[in-house]
Amino acid sequence: MSKNTFAENQLRHALDDDAQVWLFGYGSLIYLVDFPYLESRPASIRGWSRRFWQGSHDHRGTEENPGRVVTLIDEPGAVCGGLAYLVEAPVFRQLDHREKNGYLRVATDMTFADGAQATGLTYIATSDNEAWLGEASEYEIALHICGAEGPSGPNDEYLLELASALRKLGQHDAHVFEIESHIGQIRSAGADRR
Ligand code: SIN
């Protein structure tokens, strides 16, 4: 059973309703943009790596069979590329609902593609949240992803859309691309057997 972080996030940052806040997205927030924003810019954050170590019980899996989605892991020297959105503060209510399965809003510095910097918020699920699945090899993660599906769709769609969006942004992520390649092989081996 996963802990719902919606209420905790609502209390975390006192944002004035008329404030405009930068949101750094590194997972589905890059390619599934169902929230209003004023501006979006490719951006990166330092000291974090993207990993498919978080469970998804509400979007890409179920309570019985959670999927795997990305979170950020503290890693000195690492750079994680994504997309930043300038949003009006009330939009965080909708975002907190979407990211409620273990993610907490965290303040972060971000660097835009032109070198300019801003401070904003990102959603991170840490190892102490109840939906955490943790480390596994890229092959094990690929197998897991191939067997999960939730209300937002198949788990492999999440990964494939993310890999494609990262490519469009010119971002290389060895972890994501290796899982993508294993999924391709698992799928073609399955097709061969049919
Ligand atoms: C994000 O995209 O920034 C957070 C994780 C997700 O919603 O997939």
Side-chain angles (χ1 to χ4, degrees), residues 16 20-21 38-39 112 116-117 124 128 133 143 154 164 166 176 193:
D16 289 339
Q20 296 181 353
V21 183
L38 304 163
E39 189 187 337
F112 301 121
Q117 299 203 320
I124 298 182
D128 55 356
L133 292 178
L143 275 180
S164 147
L166 289 174
V176 174
R193 277 200 296 273

Side-chain angles (χ1 to χ4, degrees), residues 16 44 67 76-77 108 115 148 160 169 192:
D16 289 339
S44 60
T108 183
L160 299 173
L169 285 170
D192 286 352

Side-chain angles (χ1 to χ4, degrees), residues 24-30 69-70 98-99 103 122-123 158:
F24 178 76
Y26 57 90
S28 66
L29 288 174
I30 296 180
V69 290
V70 287
R98 170 171 164 168
E99 304 298 323
Y103 292 88
T122 191
Y123 286 90
Y158 176 107

Side-chain angles (χ1 to χ4, degrees), residues 72-94:
L72 294 177
I73 305 302
D74 203 340
E75 194 183 335
V79 176
C80 177
L83 209 47
Y85 303 89
L86 186 62
V87 301
E88 306 215 359
V91 173
F92 277 93
R93 191 176 166 76
Q94 180 183 340

Side-chain angles (χ1 to χ4, degrees), residues 48-187:
W48 297 97
S49 289
R50 182 174 16 236
R51 291 286 180 270
F52 272 83
W53 291 2
Q54 173 66 1
S56 176
H57 301 73
D58 57 346
H59 284 299
R60 300 292 179 163
T62 59
E63 287 295 334
E64 299 72 35
N65 185 30
R68 270 188 182 260
V69 290
V70 287
T71 185
L72 294 177
I73 305 302
D74 203 340
E75 194 183 335
V79 176
C80 177
L83 209 47
Y85 303 89
L86 186 62
V87 301
E88 306 215 359
V91 173
F92 277 93
R93 191 176 166 76
Q94 180 183 340
L95 293 167
D96 288 349
H97 178 73
R98 170 171 164 168
E99 304 298 323
K100 67 186 182 314
N101 198 45
Y103 292 88
L104 289 174
R105 290 187 210 160
V106 176
T108 183
D109 293 331
M110 58 191 89
T111 305
F112 301 121
D114 64 0
Q117 299 203 320
T119 299
L121 297 175
T122 191
Y123 286 90
I124 298 182
T126 52
S127 59
D128 55 356
N129 87 87
E130 288 177 36
W132 178 259
L133 292 178
E135 187 167 2
S137 71
E138 277 77 8
Y139 179 68
E140 286 165 332
I141 292 175
L143 275 180
H144 185 141
I145 285 175
C146 286
E149 176 158 11
S152 298
N155 201 177
D156 66 346
E157 181 182 74
Y158 176 107
L159 180 128
L160 299 173
E161 295 264 358
L162 175 59
S164 147
L166 289 174
R167 248 180 225 110
K168 280 189 200 132
L169 285 170
Q171 293 290 334
H172 183 82
D173 187 314
H175 173 74
V176 174
F177 293 164
E178 189 178 337
I179 297 168
E180 180 192 36
S181 146
H182 284 308
I183 288 180
Q185 285 160 13
I186 292 165
R187 290 278 181 245

